[in-house]
Structures are given as structure tokens and as C-alpha cells.
Amino acid sequence: MSVIVLIEHTGGTIKKKNFEAVHYATQIAKQTGTTVTALVLGAVAAAEMESLGQYGAQKVLHVADSRLDELHARAYAGALIAAAQNEGSKIIVTLHDIGGRMVAPRVAVKLGAGLVAGALSYPDTEKGFVIKKAVFSGKAFAYVNILSDVKVIMLMPNTFPATKIEGRAAIEQLDVSFGEGDFGVKVKAVNKVTGEVALADAELVVSGGRGMKGPENWGILEELAKELGAATACSRPVADSHWRPHHEHVGQTGGTVRPNLYIAVGISGAIQHLAGVNGSKIIVVINKDPEAPFFKAANYGVVGDAMEILPRLTAAVRKFKQ
Ligand code: FAD
């Protein structure tokens, strides 16, 4: 009857957001008087899997089929259903990220389960099983009561901490039989982003918009990011104009980030952009137009020309670090 959590990994490395999901599931397990089982698919070292115990998983179910090294939505959904049935789980947790979005709805449909996407709270079990989620691109919240017996929760990354506890998970192998159709999608190439802070996991993000004028000006933005140890991001028109790669595009149609600090440079603050960044803890806006809508969502604002402000900010950070 444990709460089951789908763990994603990249080449055997489990990223922080999964530890957040395990921590989240641990709190739900406490609320519902059960335990947490993590499901790991494909090749991951035993020590890496055991480390899930430090975030509250008592058990890891491991499906060691090498075809699962890469994300195959149907196969992942099949494995998650098999694991849930193996454990008698009624509560299934995934992340609200690309992997979760591909897998969780399939699982919910197959199990006839209610699903909450983009969960921002623990379930309120006194009112039923009510979970808060953002709607209308973060302009409002909905409180969704899952009435079905089996419940699927897609947790928004960077919402809860990945708090460590004493613990080591016991690993059990799980055999799952897959059909050929489960691997119908062939991955032709994987474009690895190296040498930068990964955007999805970044605590600090420096992001540029059309106000940066062109790709030739990105050096000063990257210098600030480097000095801060931050990831770089951009608005959609910037990615559409090929000034920056598409994986940096944040917003309604791009990635969602929830860093501790989001510095927006030359970005107007359209609702579609805010949808991907308004969960950031602190937002700093640099814009030459004092009427730019982004200032309404900002904790701190600097009115001025990015070309002047960015080098000064970088120099100040450098000085502060000395
Ligand atoms: P602009 O709106 O052109 O703003 C540029 C800003 O830079 C201005 O505020 C200007 O004052 C400022 N500026 C100019 N020069 C300087 C300077 N020298 N120094 C400082 N500031 C300066 N957008 C996204 O970002 N992400 C999405 O996911 C997304 N999805 C969308 C989905 C749909 C269905 C639609 C219709 C739109 C979507 N958009 C998205 C586009 C969105 O509506 C905006 O058009 C876009 O966010 C604007 O990008 P921007 O702020 O970089 O550019």
C-alpha cells in the first residue's frame, strides 16, 4: 500500500528534483500511514538508488531492462502500473516535467485514476484529497479534490525541498514484460547540454529577452551568469530568432523554472513568459521602460539600459566575492 514515486535519471544520475518528489511522497505517506517506494528504470548504480533512502524511500523497485535507459513513455507507464500493482499502491507521484507529462496521464487513464498536474501542495486529507495547483498561467489557483480510489499526482519541481534524513533504501528487482509497441519511438540523437548550469535544476537564473538586441550581446549576460554560478534562460522570441537555443526558452510554451533568484533582462513580462517563471522566489527585473509589466511581478527592479547595467552588476558581484 506504499506511495510510489517514479524516478527519472540521466545516464544513471538521479537529479535533485527526484529527491524533492521522494520527500513529497514521504510527507504523503506520513499523512496516510504508509511508506514510500521509488521506481527506478534502466541502468542506475546501486549506491545511487540506495541514496533515495536519504529522502525517505524505504524501498526501491528496480526494473533493470536496458531498453529503459532512455525514456519510452508507454514502457515507463507500463512499468509504473506494474510497480503500483505489485505494491498495492493507491497514490502515484511523478514530476510535472517532460517525463512526467508523458507518463502520468497514460497511467491515470489505464488505472481509471484522478490526476492533478502541476501540484503545489500536499493533499489536504481533512477535506478529502485536495491539492492546490496553478491555473491560467499562474494567475490563479485551483484546489482539486481527487475522488477516485487511485490517485496520480504530478509534482511541480522546485516546490518542496529535498530534505535529507537518515535512511537507506532496500533494492528489489521487478520483472515487467513489455510489448514491442512499448518501444515504438526510436531516439535518434540526444543533444547534451554541457559546460553550463542545467536550467531545470538551477537555483539562480539570468534570463534575456528581446531587449538584449541580438545574440552578439549575450556575452555580458553570460558573464553575469558565470560570476553568479547561474543558468541562462531566454524569452520565446529570442529562441525563435535563434539568438539562443530552444532549450533555454521559458514560459507557457517552454520550460518552467522555480529558482531562488530569477534575473530578467530586457524582457517585457508577458503573461506567457511569466507562466514559466512566476514560481521563482525572488525576481529581479532590469528594463529600460519603467512601465514594463514585468516590474509588477518583480521583487526588485532596475530601470535602465541592460548594456550598461549588466557589466556593472557583474563587476559588483566579482567585488563582493573577493
Ligand atoms: P518584448 O516584448 O519585445 O520586450 C522587450 C523588452 O526589453 C521591453 O520591455 C523593452 O522595454 C526592453 N528593453 C529594450 N531595450 C532594452 C535595453 N537596452 N535594456 C533594458 N531593457 C530593454 N513568450 C515567452 O517568453 N515564453 C513563452 O513560453 C511564450 N509562449 C507564448 C505562447 C503563446 C500562445 C503566445 C501567443 C505568446 C507566447 N509568448 C511566449 C510570447 C509573449 O507573448 C511575448 O511576446 C514575449 O514573451 C516577449 O518577449 P520579450 O519580452 O523578450 O520581448
Side-chain angles (χ1 to χ4, degrees), residues 266-281:
I267 304 177
S268 56
I271 182 175
Q272 296 89 357
H273 184 84
L274 291 176
V277 307
N278 58 9
S280 307
K281 302 223 166 45

Side-chain angles (χ1 to χ4, degrees), residues 209-283:
R210 226 160 15 189
M212 289 298 294
K213 309 287 190 229
E216 67 281 5
N217 294 323
W218 237 263
I220 52 172
L221 191 147
E222 283 176 318
E223 248 180 85
L224 175 62
K226 196 170 160 212
E227 212 52 59
L228 289 169
T232 50
C234 68
S235 67
R236 177 172 154 171
V238 163
D240 285 348
S241 308
H242 306 291
W243 297 0
R244 298 297 294 173
H246 258 291
H247 65 78
E248 285 196 1
H249 149 208
V250 288
Q252 187 180 315
T253 45
T256 300
V257 292
R258 301 171 71 85
N260 289 329
L261 176 67
Y262 184 78
I263 304 179
V265 189
I267 304 177
S268 56
I271 182 175
Q272 296 89 357
H273 184 84
L274 291 176
V277 307
N278 58 9
S280 307
K281 302 223 166 45
I282 300 283
I283 296 178

Side-chain angles (χ1 to χ4, degrees), residues 5-21:
V5 191
L6 175 65
I7 302 300
E8 296 173 42
H9 63 92
T10 314
T13 305
I14 298 172
K15 292 208 175 137
K16 176 181 147 266
K17 57 185 178 177
N18 293 277
F19 300 135
E20 293 167 12

